[in-house]
């Protein structure tokens, strides 16, 4: 069982906005502003799309945004495109014993 | 360009040993933590552990402590993940990934970039 809870799947139509949730605990998401999100296309390595909750690496579309409230982090994709169809993983720093925890991932289907 | 290039796919039998590699280039290899992440077939990402090549400080996930060994050779800018006795349940893709910020507290910065992954298949 993954430390962070993500819905198994979400779907949306092109142009729509969609939000993924990632629920942790006060030991990880709730205690640190160190949530990152990764996009993984089939057969490819994960790619960083959001870090420190709401920051985008250079080159990542501004259609991706992140936020956090309490123990839950969220990733929003606006203006959904076919190329966004992928698996999305959240990740949080979890202190100096556990270090890093991932969610089980959410599969995004673009209808 | 910052790059991590991993060794090729491996097919092994249960009980055999294995060491896979991850070569870093385009940055100061000794200044950034490098981690290993497991992805079992059709499953999600699992953090295994990290190493700071500058002084070989290593941290493990409790789930992987004692099951694998992480090491690095800074002279050839390469990190390693090693098993002494493989099990069928070790079948997975293993990714190395660099923490994005130099030094600092272990594992606090995000993983960026990632290696291309190494498929390890363990079957009798």
């Amino acid at each position: 069982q993954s430390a962070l809870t993500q819905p198994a799947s979400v779907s949306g139509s092109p142009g729509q906005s969609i939000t993924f949730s990632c629920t942790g605990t006060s030991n990880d998401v709730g205690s640190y502003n160190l949530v990152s999100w990764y996009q993984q296309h089939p057969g490819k390595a994960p790619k960083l799309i959001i870090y420190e909750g709401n920051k985008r690496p250079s080159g990542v579309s501004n259609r991706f945004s992140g936020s956090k409230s309490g123990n839950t982090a969220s990733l929003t994709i606006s203006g959904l495109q076919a190329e966004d169809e992928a698996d999305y993983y959240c990740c949080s720093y979890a202190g100096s014993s556990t270090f890093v925890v991932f969610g089980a991932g959410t599969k995004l289907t673009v209808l | 360009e910052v790059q991590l290039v991993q060794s090729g796919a491996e097919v092994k039998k249960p009980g055999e040993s294995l060491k896979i590699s991850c070569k870093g280039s385009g940055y100061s290899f000794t200044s950034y933590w490098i981690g290993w992440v497991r992805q079992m077939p059709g499953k999600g990402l699992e953090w295994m552990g990290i190493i700071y090549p500058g002084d070989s400080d290593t941290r493990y996930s409790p789930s992987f402590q004692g099951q694998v060994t992480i090491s690095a050779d800074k002279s050839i800018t390469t990190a390693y993940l090693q098993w002494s006795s493989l099990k069928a349940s070790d079948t997975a893709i293993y990714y190395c990934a660099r923490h994005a910020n130099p030094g600092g507290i272990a594992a606090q910065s995000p993983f960026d970039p990632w290696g291309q992954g190494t498929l390890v298949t363990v079957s009798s």
Side-chain angles (χ1 to χ4, degrees):
Chain A
Q1 187 170 354
S2 298
L4 304 179
T5 300
Q6 297 184 252
S9 62
V10 297
S11 60
S13 301
Q16 195 178 356
S17 288
I18 202 152
T19 297
F20 305 77
S21 64
C22 168
T23 302
T25 71
S26 58
N27 295 321
D28 38 67
V29 175
S31 286
Y32 307 97
N33 197 28
L34 294 172
V35 173
S36 51
W37 290 88
Y38 300 88
Q39 177 192 60
Q40 187 180 35
H41 287 108
K44 300 293 188 183
K47 173 190 172 186
L48 177 68
I49 55 173
I50 293 288
Y51 66 101
E52 292 177 11
N54 60 5
K55 297 178 182 177
R56 278 189 314 276
S58 173
V60 172
S61 170
N62 60 9
R63 298 186 298 105
F64 294 90
S65 62
S67 63
K68 190 187 88 164
S69 177
N71 296 337
T72 299
S74 299
L75 170 72
T76 298
I77 307 175
S78 59
L80 208 56
Q81 299 178 1
E83 68 206 46
D84 299 330
E85 188 163 287
D87 294 324
Y88 291 84
Y89 294 92
C90 62
C91 177
S92 177
Y93 179 70
S96 58
S97 296
T98 306
F99 292 103
V100 174
V101 289
F102 280 101
T106 298
K107 181 177 181 59
L108 170 63
T109 300
V110 180
L111 302 171
Chain B
E1 179 194 5
V2 176
Q3 260 193 317
L4 298 175
V5 178
Q6 298 185 228
S7 50
E10 301 274 2
V11 179
K12 291 289 190 179
K13 292 182 172 13
E16 292 186 332
S17 63
L18 176 64
K19 192 173 189 178
I20 61 175
S21 66
C22 168
K23 182 171 176 60
S25 63
Y27 71 99
S28 175
F29 183 76
T30 54
S31 299
Y32 291 76
W33 292 88
I34 287 184
W36 288 93
V37 176
R38 182 175 79 174
Q39 187 167 39
M40 298 178 76
K43 301 297 185 183
L45 305 173
E46 299 173 89
W47 185 81
M48 301 177 72
I50 51 173
I51 188 166
Y52 190 71
D55 61 7
S56 293
D57 186 4
T58 309
R59 316 291 173 89
Y60 292 93
S61 160
S63 299
F64 291 94
Q65 179 85 47
Q67 308 304 309
V68 296
T69 301
I70 294 171
S71 61
D73 184 339
K74 56 188 179 185
S75 69
I76 55 171
T77 66
T78 300
Y80 300 97
L81 179 64
Q82 183 174 359
W83 295 260
S84 59
S85 180
L86 286 161
K87 303 185 282 286
S89 58
D90 292 318
T91 294
I93 297 172
Y94 294 87
Y95 292 101
C96 64
R98 191 198 75 169
H99 279 284
N101 298 337
I105 297 175
Q108 283 201 339
S109 63
F111 281 122
D112 186 41
W114 293 62
Q116 82 276 21
T118 296
L119 174 61
V120 174
T121 303
V122 184
S123 174
S124 54

